[in-house]
Amino acid sequence: MAAPQIVRFLGLLCIPLFIFLVLTSIRKPSGLPMAGEKLPEMTRDPNLDLTGEPEGPLWRADDYAVDNPNSPRVNATLLSLVRNSELPGMIQSMRDLERTFNSKFNYPWTFFNDEDFTDEFKRRTQAETKAPCRYEKIPKEDWAVPSWINDDLFHESAKILGENKVQYGDMMSYHQMCRWNSGYFYKHPALAEVRWYWRVEPKVHFFCDVDYDVFRWMEDHNKTYGFTITLFDSAESLPRLWPETLKFLAAHQDYVHPNNALRWLTDSQRRPDVNVKAHGYSTCHFWSNFEIADMTFWRSRVYQDYFDHLDRAGGFFYERWGDAPVHSIALGLFEDASKIHWFRDIGYQHIPFFNCPNSPKCSGCVPGRFSDGASWLNREDCRPNWFKYVGMG
């Protein structure tokens, strides 16, 4: 009788061990950190591992008919700053996003231009979607060069940027665009009652079926900002941006969020040469040609005060401060880092970089490929720092 009792006893001991092993395997099927966990060293691209949808609840496309006044759609728009001459590239982007997402959810498109849109632009873009399209002109005072910018100094600065091979440094319209995207788009009257936006540029590609409402997911999970790609910037384009940020912080220490991403912004280990040239800024930034975000953050006093400080400093014109580093520094300092989400399941390309998941919902890109350009472009990937200091959420 003793032997069977021992067997039963050992069997009972094995049950908790078995449950533990099962739960462990469920928690980490890939052996890599799950969403929200940190990844101390990115030895292989997480996009090589099977990627699913984010944790629920997820809103499916059941009641999203364009003419349904009671649909679950939230207050959101697909947003694009685009010129009439960019119509072919805009149609390409629309076709991709309509095919993968918006034909199911019918969110409106809002197009901005500093000139009037042509009838052809309106006709052909509206033909690409069942959803409403809005065509808005940027007020001249929002696009104009501010009065405190010295024209001679701008041209001298443009020469220096050119000597340092900073792209678009001599294009006044590019500087105006960066300034508008940094501090004005969310103030446009057409967006006064809109909270969420998905930024879409011409000539981008979307590769994966998105079968849930991304805006509802952001709102339900208390997220502020979503990205696909994070890069290092050209240190030569923004040498005064971080020093000006430090000046601002000296007067507004209370603006910094306790759960910030400062280490991501100031890392000097991965690209020490870049950190030195940028005077303490890693130059890591979210590539803002793709962003899904809550404009409540941009409309906050904290962000507006920061933008106003930078604007008066003149770096949008005397250097080439882009909206991507400006947005990213503000989010990294003033927002809870847990409210920033990596959309690993959304396949995306803006030449020459990709976010390509390993998913049966995706086609047309190579899982785990970061760039299809020269191999040196892979060093521009700043995801390893984000995963290291913040996590994979």
Side-chain angles (χ1 to χ4, degrees):
M1 294 294 294
Q5 289 178 344
I6 292 173
V7 170
R8 285 197 297 273
F9 177 73
L10 291 174
L12 290 172
L13 282 178
C14 288
I15 292 173
L17 178 61
F18 175 76
I19 293 173
F20 171 79
L21 292 173
V22 169
L23 290 175
T24 301
S25 66
I26 292 174
R27 264 201 314 270
K28 289 190 178 183
S30 67
L32 285 170
M34 296 176 67
E37 293 186 67
K38 294 181 180 179
L39 183 62
E41 191 68 30
M42 192 173 117
T43 56
R44 68 193 297 270
D45 197 308
N47 277 332
L48 291 170
D49 295 280
L50 191 63
T51 297
E53 295 175 326
E55 296 180 0
L58 301 175
W59 289 76
R60 304 299 183 182
D62 298 329
D63 299 308
Y64 281 82
V66 68
D67 57 352
N68 180 6
N70 300 312
S71 80
R73 274 187 296 272
V74 297
N75 202 355
T77 190
L78 308 175
L79 185 152
S80 185
L81 173 63
V82 57
R83 294 188 181 280
N84 291 307
S85 59
E86 296 175 301
L87 177 58
M90 193 69 243
I91 288 177
Q92 174 206 288
S93 299
M94 289 185 73
R95 286 179 178 173
D96 268 18
L97 193 54
E98 286 289 325
R99 172 178 51 82
T100 56
F101 171 75
N102 203 48
S103 61
K104 293 165 274 192
F105 295 96
N106 293 301
Y107 276 99
W109 287 83
T110 306
F111 299 99
F112 289 100
N113 193 346
D114 64 317
E115 300 176 349
D116 291 321
F117 282 107
T118 64
D119 290 340
E120 181 189 14
F121 187 99
K122 295 176 182 179
R123 175 177 54 80
R124 292 183 62 187
T125 49
Q126 183 62 79
E128 297 296 328
T129 178
K130 301 187 301 292
C133 291
R134 305 162 184 162
Y135 303 92
E136 305 293 341
K137 189 174 181 179
I138 299 170
K140 289 184 178 180
E141 60 272 21
D142 291 353
W143 191 259
V145 179
S147 60
W148 57 87
I149 297 301
N150 181 284
D151 190 60
D152 291 335
L153 184 54
F154 167 77
H155 289 292
E156 283 300 315
S157 301
K159 289 180 183 178
I160 296 172
L161 291 172
E163 291 168 1
N164 288 322
K165 299 180 180 179
V166 174
Q167 195 174 22
Y168 310 125
D170 61 346
M171 288 180 57
M172 177 61 82
S173 61
Y174 191 86
H175 294 264
Q176 292 170 291
M177 176 193 70
C178 290
R179 179 175 180 259
W180 187 80
N181 276 327
S182 295
Y184 282 92
F185 81 92
Y186 51 87
K187 299 176 185 176
H188 194 284
L191 299 178
E193 303 301 322
V194 181
R195 177 181 176 187
W196 299 94
Y197 70 97
W198 182 337
R199 179 168 160 182
V200 185
E201 293 199 353
K203 295 184 179 180
V204 300
H205 288 286
F206 297 93
F207 301 104
C208 308
D209 290 330
V210 181
D211 295 322
Y212 63 97
D213 184 340
V214 296
F215 298 114
R216 287 300 301 245
W217 187 89
M218 293 280 284
E219 185 171 286
D220 290 347
H221 291 80
N222 196 26
K223 300 293 184 180
T224 297
Y225 189 87
F227 71 97
T228 52
I229 296 168
T230 171
L231 302 171
F232 289 91
D233 209 340
S234 163
E236 292 81 5
S237 70
L238 42 64
R240 291 175 52 238
L241 179 56
W242 190 248
E244 284 297 336
T245 298
L246 294 180
K247 287 181 187 178
F248 178 79
L249 293 179
H252 299 282
Q253 296 180 25
D254 56 318
Y255 282 5
V256 178
H257 197 283
N259 187 34
N260 59 65
L262 179 63
R263 295 178 69 191
W264 175 66
L265 293 172
T266 58
D267 175 80
S268 60
Q269 297 177 24
R270 189 167 178 85
R271 296 286 298 278
D273 57 324
V274 172
N275 182 285
V276 170
K277 291 178 183 177
H279 301 289
Y281 173 33
S282 67
T283 77
C284 286
H285 63 281
F286 307 117
W287 216 20
S288 59
N289 45 68
F290 174 108
E291 54 185 11
I292 299 174
D294 183 352
M295 284 185 279
T296 304
F297 180 79
W298 311 131
R299 292 164 175 157
S300 69
R301 177 183 174 185
V302 172
Y303 180 77
Q304 194 58 53
D305 285 351
Y306 178 58
F307 170 77
D308 289 343
H309 175 89
L310 297 182
D311 199 23
R312 295 297 305 189
F316 288 108
F317 294 92
Y318 301 144
E319 296 183 358
R320 197 208 64 188
W321 295 356
D323 53 277
V326 171
H327 282 184
S328 302
I329 291 174
L331 288 160
L333 291 173
F334 310 132
E335 184 54 288
D336 183 341
S338 69
K339 293 186 177 182
I340 301 171
H341 176 67
W342 176 40
F343 275 105
R344 66 183 298 171
D345 60 310
I346 297 182
Y348 177 71
Q349 182 200 23
H350 183 298
I351 294 173
F353 299 111
F354 291 84
N355 183 69
C356 187
N358 179 4
S359 169
K361 291 180 177 287
C362 304
S363 62
C365 64
V366 179
R369 173 180 285 177
F370 178 68
S371 173
D372 58 0
S375 59
W376 64 265
L377 287 170
N378 290 316
R379 72 180 181 179
E380 303 303 323
D381 187 3
C382 202
R383 287 176 307 157
N385 279 0
W386 182 259
F387 300 155
K388 176 180 179 180
Y389 295 122
V390 181
M392 297 175 66

